[in-house]
Structures are given as structure tokens and as C-alpha cells.
Amino acid sequence: AAQPGTAARPELTARPGTAAGPGSGQAPAASGGGILPGLGGRGQDGGGGVPRPKRRHGRWLAPVISLLVLLVIVGSVGTYLYSWYSAKHANYTGEGYGQVTIHVQPGDFADNLVQQLLTRHVIKASEPFMAAAKSNNPTGLQPGFFRLHKHMNAALAWAALLNPKNRIQTTVTIPDGQRLSLILPELARQTGIKLSAFEAAAKDTAALGLPAYAHGGLEGYLYPDTYSFAPGVSAHGVLQQMVSKFNAVAASLNLESRAKAVNLTPGQVITIASLLEAEGTPKYYGQIARVIDNRLNVKMFLGLDTTVLYALHKSGFKLSPQQLKVNSPYNTFIHKGLPPGPINNPTASAIQAALHPPKGNWLYFITVDPGKGITKFTSSYHQFLRFQAECRANNAC
């Protein structure tokens, strides 16, 4: 309060919003304070007051990135699932175009062929093909090479594999008991492969899979049968397949063990079987085998015209007295025992007869009527001479 008689000094009184003068005893007002709120204050210069929160300009970036990543993942999974489904279920609509060769192995079915058909662009996906196979399920596919097309409807592709008309093969039939010298030209004729190629392959017997008891000889071991050869097969491949068939037949007959049981080698059995093929018909194989066995046991000459014909590289049934004297180990009129090897290529029935001849004391036989296929047997030489006269009367001897 002012003292009496004096007036108050206005400069000693601080006005609101102004700093007190010197010596007033009050602290100066904070710098930056002003009339307009929000300007100055500790929120900006570290002075007193409540601090203001900072603005986060990038707070929306993380959710956006997460969303984009999610969209990419979903898109990728969707694309994969679509591709997976298409790869398994897509199908062509027509018969296709061009030509594709499909190899069906023995025992193959639809599931074994899917990858080959996909790789060769025959079908577009696996499921339609498998569905077609299940709806038309035969006992099995025939092995071989089949002619199909690219971009085929799956059901049409399966039907094409079932159709024998689409099978690509060369079929060759070799008659029973045919000689090697006749088989090779026949193979050349039926396969279109040069005879010289077969002759060269026939000399390379070590590469044909012959059994050890063949001693490197091909005669007797080209099994007579009907064969189907794949496109592009070689002469070597043809002969190898025929020898393989012989080996399979020999195994099925237990040739080696059965030969040992009758005191013969497997090679001797095949030689006897070839004689049966040359001398008679299957009806008489067993009896002829017994004649051969009986003659071997008593050390007689076999005296078979067919072995002489083989030595002379001839066919037929008539021989001159001079021809019967030909100096050859295959001449069973002048050499006792079996010839050195087979004289043709026998069948399983002839091999079986050689292993299991019926009982009998026959020492002679002769085909008295080749036209009717009549062969007679006897243990008497005099009876044989009468049979021989009958044969000559039929102009068969």
C-alpha cells in the first residue's frame, strides 16, 4: 500500500502480461510466452508446460505392406492350385495330329504309361486318362509299339492303345524243325533286314545268349515260333530273341536236370529232338526217340537218311547209294552214335519226347506213306524189309 501523502508509482506495479521492472522482486516471465495460445511454452523450448505428442507420418505403411504380402501369397497359392488342377485334369478335345510311337512293356497298364504320354505330348493331363482306363478296364494291354497322335483326347488315347490295328510290329513265323540255313533267309525276307546282316550276327554267337552246352553252335537253339519284333530291330536283336525263347522253353522243361537223369547231356537231348523233327511227325516222336535210344544202347548205327541230307545240304527223302557214303561226321550210316550236333531247330514237344521216350523194343522204323503220315515200327530186321518194300511201292523211298 502507498504511504500517506504520496502517490502510488505505477512503474512498480507489474501489468499482466508484462515483465516486472528491475528490483520488483518477481521472476521475469518465461520467454516465448505470449498472447496467442500454442505459441512458445515448454512444449517447444524445453521450458515448463505439458509436452505435445509427435506426429507419426509412417504409421500407415506397415499395414499396407502386410496387406500386399498377403495378397501376393493368396495369389501365388491360387495360381499354384489352378496350375495343379489343370495339370491333373486338363484335356484335349480331338484325335490330335502327327504321329507318336508309344512303347507298352509287358505288364504295363494305364498308370505305367501316363508319364510317357505326357512327355510325348499325347495327353494334356493324367486324371482324364486314368478315368478313361478305369471306365474301360480290359484284362490288360498288349505289349508292343503303338501309333498314337499328339494332343489326343485322353479317352481316345486309351482306346487307341487297346486297338490292335494301332500296334506297330513285324510278325515272323519260323516253322518247326527248320534248319539254320533256311531260317536266316526267311528272317531276312519277313523283316526286310539284309541277309548279310543275319549271317554276320549268326557268327557272333557269344553275343546271343546261347547256353554253355550249345558250344557256340546256333543250330538247334533258334526256337521255332511266331515272333513280334519292334520297329528298328536289328538282325542281332532278332536272333537274340529267338535264343532267349529257347532258353525259356528249356528252363520250363527242366532240360538240364532231366537230361542228367537219362544219362544224356542237354546238347545230346537237343540233337535227338532235332532228329525226331526231321524223321517224323509229333504223333511218332516218342517211338522214334525210343528207337534211337535202343540203337545207341546196343551200339548200332543210327542209319538215318536225314543226317546225310543235312551233311549234303539237301532236302527230300531219296538218297543214292553214293550219297549214303558221303564222308561227314553227320553220316550216321558210317559213324556210330549221335551226330556232332542238332540238324535243325526242334520244338518243345520234340525235346519232351527225347527226354521221356515210351517203353518199347523197337530197333527199326520207316515212314511207309508220307502223304498219309504213316510210320511203322518193329524190332525185326525182316519185318523192316517188308515195310521198306511197302514204302517203295508208295514211291516214298
Side-chain angles (χ1 to χ4, degrees):
Q3 293 182 7
T6 63
R9 299 177 64 178
E11 64 270 18
L12 298 178
T13 304
R15 292 191 299 272
T18 63
S24 66
Q26 296 185 15
S31 63
I35 297 174
L36 298 177
L39 295 177
R42 291 187 181 180
Q44 291 183 354
D45 59 11
V50 180
R52 299 178 64 85
K54 294 182 179 179
R55 293 182 181 178
R56 298 180 180 177
H57 299 288
R59 59 186 177 181
W60 53 269
L61 190 59
V64 170
I65 292 174
S66 298
L67 179 60
L68 290 175
V69 170
L70 180 60
L71 290 175
V72 169
I73 292 173
V74 171
S76 298
V77 171
T79 301
Y80 170 78
L81 290 176
Y82 177 79
S83 300
W84 174 83
Y85 183 86
S86 297
K88 292 179 69 67
H89 296 273
N91 201 355
Y92 296 118
T93 57
E95 296 182 354
Y97 61 91
Q99 181 174 314
V100 178
T101 300
I102 298 299
H103 188 192
V104 179
Q105 301 278 5
D108 273 354
F109 198 63
D111 53 346
N112 306 107
L113 297 175
V114 165
Q115 191 56 51
Q116 185 181 174
L117 293 169
L118 289 171
T119 302
R120 306 298 300 278
H121 306 293
V122 175
I123 61 175
K124 196 171 186 178
S126 59
E127 287 301 320
F129 181 74
M130 294 301 298
K134 289 178 182 178
S135 65
N136 186 6
N137 189 1
T139 55
L141 293 171
Q142 291 294 319
F145 291 80
F146 289 80
R147 187 182 293 107
L148 273 69
H149 309 292
K150 290 185 177 181
H151 292 198
M152 293 187 73
N153 174 269
L156 296 179
W158 176 250
L161 290 169
L162 298 178
N163 189 346
K165 292 182 179 179
N166 293 321
R167 195 174 184 209
I168 308 169
Q169 59 185 356
T170 300
T171 302
V172 176
T173 299
I174 300 301
D176 300 349
Q178 195 168 68
R179 296 177 190 172
L180 175 64
S181 60
L182 298 177
I183 288 177
L184 297 185
E186 186 64 18
L187 290 173
R189 185 185 70 81
Q190 294 193 48
T191 63
I193 301 171
K194 290 182 178 180
L195 176 58
S196 59
F198 280 109
E199 290 171 341
K203 293 177 182 178
D204 187 17
T205 55
L208 297 178
L210 286 167
Y213 51 81
H215 302 294
L218 196 54
E219 187 81 270
Y221 302 96
L222 292 178
Y223 194 78
D225 203 353
T226 296
Y227 294 90
S228 294
F229 299 113
V233 67
S234 65
H236 174 270
V238 170
L239 299 183
Q240 191 176 50
Q241 188 170 329
M242 295 178 72
V243 172
S244 178
K245 181 62 182 288
F246 169 85
N247 289 333
V249 170
S252 70
L253 297 176
N254 297 315
L255 174 59
E256 295 193 45
S257 60
R258 287 301 307 154
K260 186 176 181 180
V262 294
N263 298 315
L264 292 170
T265 67
Q268 288 174 325
V269 172
I270 300 304
T271 298
I272 293 172
S274 73
L275 300 179
L276 306 184
E277 292 278 4
E279 289 286 341
T281 60
K283 177 182 178 180
Y284 298 112
Y285 282 169
Q287 288 174 281
I288 297 173
R290 175 52 64 192
V291 170
I292 291 172
D293 188 59
N294 289 341
R295 286 195 164 218
L296 291 174
N297 288 335
V298 297
K299 310 298 182 185
M300 288 179 66
F301 290 106
L302 293 183
L304 300 175
D305 291 353
T306 52
T307 62
V308 178
L309 288 167
Y310 184 79
L312 295 170
H313 306 289
K314 293 183 177 294
S315 59
F317 53 88
K318 290 185 177 181
L319 289 167
S320 67
Q322 190 62 34
Q323 287 175 323
L324 290 173
K325 297 176 183 178
V326 62
N327 185 18
S328 168
Y330 284 90
N331 188 345
T332 53
F333 286 90
I334 62 175
H335 294 286
K336 290 184 178 181
L338 290 171
I343 63 172
N344 57 46
N345 294 271
T347 59
S349 58
I351 298 171
Q352 189 80 303
L355 288 169
H356 304 281
K359 292 183 179 180
N361 62 349
W362 311 294
L363 289 172
Y364 306 92
F365 73 93
I366 188 169
T367 300
V368 296
D369 191 336
K372 295 181 179 180
I374 300 174
T375 300
K376 296 184 177 182
F377 297 82
T378 182
S379 59
S380 165
Y381 179 67
H382 294 291
Q383 182 61 55
F384 168 73
L385 292 178
R386 287 192 285 271
F387 290 157
Q388 191 175 58
E390 184 180 352
C391 176
R392 286 171 180 163
N394 291 326
N395 198 30
C397 296

